[in-house]
């Protein structure tokens, strides 16, 4: 009974999240904000290497951003927000992980600000996201599960920005807005029907011990194959948006699957 109580306390304990700000371009801020979870080491290392590479690509695009369509005298910054799902801060190199190598995330942090005491309010992705964008605890309006999302009557971060004149460009998964809330908070969005990265077949069959470990395996697809890697496709679409005179000010939000279960990786990262 005591072990079960300890497991319950561990599930309820807030996890540490990370946020790094990239401010080199005078009109843009680049923000990375992982969520939280614990998962098998090898797939985790591969998934974080993928996100580290994509951060470098996006940061370069922000630095090379053109003038865009902006009202005279409007000096408000653009925002690029990268949200790799369910990644604890301690799983990133800049926070001192002894094995995981994330050189581009580390470089982003070196040119920005690292928050060491940023804590999310829930260990599950959807309730945590709802709390982050509303500024409220999950229990205030019932955001305790994956299916209780932000409603159209709730104020939220993206809605405030859109109503203030920001163009909110969204590519990636949801797990945050209800159907009615989406058009009130986001200007342009799509997932192309899928999210995530290529993964292989899991080693366990239904009924076997280990089936619910969510351990997947090595995919035969490449991590940068945009036809198979939908998170990478979201990166490319965001780049295309930013490099073609986008309406400004804008918010580019890229909520990727990141290291969300199941845990697997494309072969070029799995074999590192």
């Amino acid at each position: 009974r005591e072990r079960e109580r300890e497991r319950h306390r561990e599930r309820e304990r807030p996890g540490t999240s990370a946020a790094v700000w990239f401010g080199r371009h005078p009109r843009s801020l680049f923000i990375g904000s992982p969520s939280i979870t614990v998962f098998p080491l090898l797939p985790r290392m591969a998934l974080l290497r993928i996100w580290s590479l994509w951060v470098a690509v996006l940061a370069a695009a922000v630095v090379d951003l053109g003038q865009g369509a902006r009202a005279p005298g409007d000096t408000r910054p653009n925002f690029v927000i990268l949200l790799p799902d369910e990644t604890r801060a301690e799983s990133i190199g800049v926070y001192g992980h002894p094995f995981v190598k994330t050189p581009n995330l580390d470089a982003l942090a070196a040119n920005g600000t690292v928050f060491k005491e940023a804590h999310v309010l829930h260990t599950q992705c959807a309730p945590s996201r709802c709390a982050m964008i509303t500024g409220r605890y999950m229990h205030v309006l019932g955001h305790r599960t994956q299916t209780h999302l932000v409603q159209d009557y709730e104020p939220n971060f993206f809605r405030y920005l859109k109503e203030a004149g920001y163009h909110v460009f969204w590519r990636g998964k949801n797990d945050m807005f209800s159907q009615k809330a989406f058009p009130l908070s986001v200007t342009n969005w799509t997932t192309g029907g899928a999210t995530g990265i290529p993964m292989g077949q899991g080693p366990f069959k239904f009924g076997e011990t280990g089936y619910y470990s969510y351990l997947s395996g090595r995919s035969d697809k490449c991590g940068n194959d945009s036809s198979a890697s939908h998170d990478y496709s979201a990166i490319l679409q965001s780049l295309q948006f930013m490099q073609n005179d986008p309406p400004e000010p804008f918010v580019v939000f890229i909520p990727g699957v990141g290291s969300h279960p199941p845990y697997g990786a494309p072969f070029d990262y799995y074999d590192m």
Side-chain angles (χ1 to χ4, degrees):
R1 250 186 258 130
E2 180 57 34
R3 284 196 299 270
E4 179 59 32
R5 281 194 291 268
E6 176 57 32
R7 282 195 294 270
H8 178 75
R9 286 193 293 269
E10 180 63 31
R11 285 194 297 268
E12 295 296 321
R13 191 170 295 137
T16 301
S17 180
V20 289
W21 293 54
F22 180 81
R24 179 173 294 167
H25 192 277
R27 291 186 289 107
S28 300
L29 290 173
F30 189 100
I31 306 171
S33 180
S35 183
I36 57 169
T37 197
V38 178
F39 47 95
L41 179 61
L42 287 176
R44 173 176 63 186
M45 294 172 67
L47 292 166
L48 289 173
R49 288 191 188 106
I50 295 172
W51 277 94
S52 181
L53 173 64
W54 293 347
V55 161
V57 176
L58 278 170
V62 172
V63 170
D64 294 333
L65 186 64
Q67 290 303 310
R70 179 185 289 267
D74 189 348
T75 60
R76 291 176 296 174
N78 300 313
F79 295 92
V80 180
I81 304 175
L82 184 67
L83 188 74
D85 208 348
E86 307 219 2
T87 303
R88 289 180 69 96
E90 64 208 33
S91 300
I92 300 173
V94 68
Y95 286 92
H97 196 286
F99 303 122
V100 174
K101 305 300 180 185
T102 52
N104 297 305
L105 289 171
D106 298 351
L108 181 67
N111 286 280
T113 301
V114 178
F115 295 91
K116 296 184 177 179
E117 292 294 338
H119 299 272
V120 297
L121 297 176
H122 201 282
T123 57
Q124 198 173 10
C125 56
S128 179
R129 288 164 184 255
C130 292
M132 280 192 284
I133 67 162
T134 61
R136 295 172 170 174
Y137 291 106
M138 297 78 60
H139 59 265
V140 173
L141 286 170
H143 300 299
R144 292 181 178 272
T145 73
Q146 295 290 94
T147 58
H148 293 83
L149 306 179
V150 175
Q151 301 298 312
D152 57 326
Y153 50 80
E154 295 182 75
N156 68 79
F157 171 73
F158 290 103
R159 185 168 179 174
Y160 281 130
L161 287 173
K162 184 180 179 183
E163 291 176 349
Y166 272 81
H167 184 94
V168 182
F169 183 91
W170 178 309
R171 289 296 184 274
K173 65 177 293 186
N174 182 18
D175 285 354
M176 192 155 69
F177 284 131
S178 66
Q179 186 175 359
K180 290 183 178 180
F182 229 113
L184 298 174
S185 306
V186 183
T187 311
N188 185 304
W189 71 93
T190 182
T191 64
T195 58
I197 62 173
M199 297 185 183
Q201 195 69 28
F204 304 106
K205 295 180 180 179
F206 181 75
E208 293 181 345
T209 301
Y211 177 80
Y212 288 106
S213 68
Y214 294 103
L215 182 63
S216 187
R218 180 184 185 274
S219 171
D220 59 357
K221 302 293 185 180
C222 174
N224 289 347
D225 178 355
S226 59
S227 66
S229 179
H230 304 291
D231 278 9
Y232 184 54
S233 177
I235 298 288
L236 295 180
Q237 292 177 54
S238 300
L239 287 173
Q240 185 178 27
F241 168 78
M242 289 189 290
Q243 292 171 344
N244 286 277
D245 293 328
E248 297 190 57
F250 64 72
V251 180
V252 171
F253 181 51
I254 309 172
V257 170
S259 44
H260 192 286
Y263 310 121
F267 71 85
D268 49 334
Y269 289 90
Y270 191 93
D271 294 342
M272 283 185 173

